[in-house]
Amino acid sequence: MITYEEIKNNEVIKTYIKAADDALNALGYTEHSFAHVTYVAEKAGSILETLGYPERTVELTKIAGYMHDIGNVINRVDHSQSGAVMAFRILDNMHMDPTEIAMIISAIGNHDEGSGVPVSPMAAALILADKSDVRRNRVRNDDMSTFDIHDRVNYSVKKSELKINEAHTIIKLKLFVDTHYGSVMDYFEIFMQRMMLCRKAAEKLGLQFKLMINEQQLI
Ligand SMILES: [Fe+2]
Ligand SMILES: [Fe+2]
């Protein structure tokens, strides 16, 4: 059986992750490279692990998380779908079981807020992990005077935490925002759609989604 470790050490996949991030860098996007995809892989896996999903489902979720943004090498638009097709070819060539491939490509193909739907627990975990990766060091633009709204919002987040409560009823995204760089309104402008998707994703996992910014409960 193909493991997350094997996928992480695969040079072909590394090449696509790097190239996808280079393409986004050229477009002025925040970091989508190894730091982002590793965070998403591990966070998505830990969500399902905490909720008691089978070990193999957790492993496959990590694989989906690691590969979720490779489609950006083709185009930012519809990158979830193009990434799913790329993952299909790569994993099929590695002789992964079709049932497992199906779970992974379904999750990758549904992670983006434009057209994504949490069609499975794996897709839901991937969405929650992906949207919670907001942090200062994702900003690559070093000229603050030219920051766009994404730069401002990411730069303003000093710390973010995504946690499931002990009773397994709530998943809470806590953000510590330095409003000197970006306002809470900025955050809402770009995150409204993402937060709606997070709410649906949490529901898929039987959880309620809550958002807290600077100790204030917003959702
Ligand atoms: Fe993405
Ligand atoms: Fe992502």
Side-chain angles (χ1 to χ4, degrees), residues 79-128:
H79 74 277
S80 54
Q81 291 94 321
S82 53
V85 177
M86 285 176 69
F88 166 76
R89 183 170 162 85
I90 296 165
L91 298 171
D92 191 43
N93 281 340
M94 292 172 87
H95 307 292
M96 185 185 258
D97 177 79
T99 314
E100 294 192 342
I101 295 180
M103 290 165 78
I104 292 172
I105 60 179
S106 214
I108 295 177
N110 277 288
H111 84 270
D112 205 42
E113 60 265 31
S115 57
V117 177
V119 289
S120 64
M122 194 190 287
L126 185 54
I127 288 166
L128 287 159

Side-chain angles (χ1 to χ4, degrees), residues 36 68-69 130:
H36 172 63
H68 83 280
D69 268 338
D130 188 35

Side-chain angles (χ1 to χ4, degrees), residues 204-219:
K204 183 77 189 175
L205 297 170
L207 303 168
Q208 207 189 340
F209 180 72
K210 301 229 187 250
L211 171 66
M212 274 186 100
I213 299 183
N214 293 347
E215 302 295 328
Q216 223 185 343
Q217 180 106 9
L218 295 166
I219 294 176

Side-chain angles (χ1 to χ4, degrees), residues 37-187:
V37 298
T38 307
Y39 167 86
V40 172
E42 273 153 34
K43 185 53 97 176
S46 89
I47 291 171
L48 294 192
E49 194 172 28
T50 303
L51 296 174
Y53 281 83
E55 210 177 298
R56 186 63 187 158
T57 307
V58 172
E59 189 81 1
L60 295 176
T61 303
K62 288 185 185 169
I63 293 174
Y66 190 71
M67 297 176 82
H68 83 280
D69 268 338
I70 51 175
N72 285 306
V73 71
I74 295 176
N75 197 294
R76 178 65 185 171
V77 177
D78 295 336
H79 74 277
S80 54
Q81 291 94 321
S82 53
V85 177
M86 285 176 69
F88 166 76
R89 183 170 162 85
I90 296 165
L91 298 171
D92 191 43
N93 281 340
M94 292 172 87
H95 307 292
M96 185 185 258
D97 177 79
T99 314
E100 294 192 342
I101 295 180
M103 290 165 78
I104 292 172
I105 60 179
S106 214
I108 295 177
N110 277 288
H111 84 270
D112 205 42
E113 60 265 31
S115 57
V117 177
V119 289
S120 64
M122 194 190 287
L126 185 54
I127 288 166
L128 287 159
D130 188 35
K131 307 315 164 202
S132 72
D133 189 20
V134 198
R135 56 193 155 81
R136 181 164 286 188
N137 57 5
R138 283 192 79 181
V139 179
R140 293 192 265 219
N141 181 355
D142 51 19
D143 179 3
M144 233 178 246
S145 68
T146 62
F147 269 13
D148 68 6
I149 190 167
H150 291 269
D151 291 335
R152 281 204 302 278
V153 164
N154 276 280
Y155 198 84
S156 68
V157 177
K158 289 181 292 182
K159 202 169 106 178
S160 88
E161 274 174 20
L162 182 69
K163 276 191 185 153
I164 296 173
N165 68 345
E166 256 177 60
H168 295 176
T169 53
I170 291 166
I171 186 161
K172 191 184 276 182
L173 177 61
K174 265 179 144 181
L175 298 174
F176 300 90
V177 175
D178 183 343
T179 49
H180 181 74
Y181 302 102
S183 68
V184 171
M185 275 311 291
D186 272 348
Y187 184 83

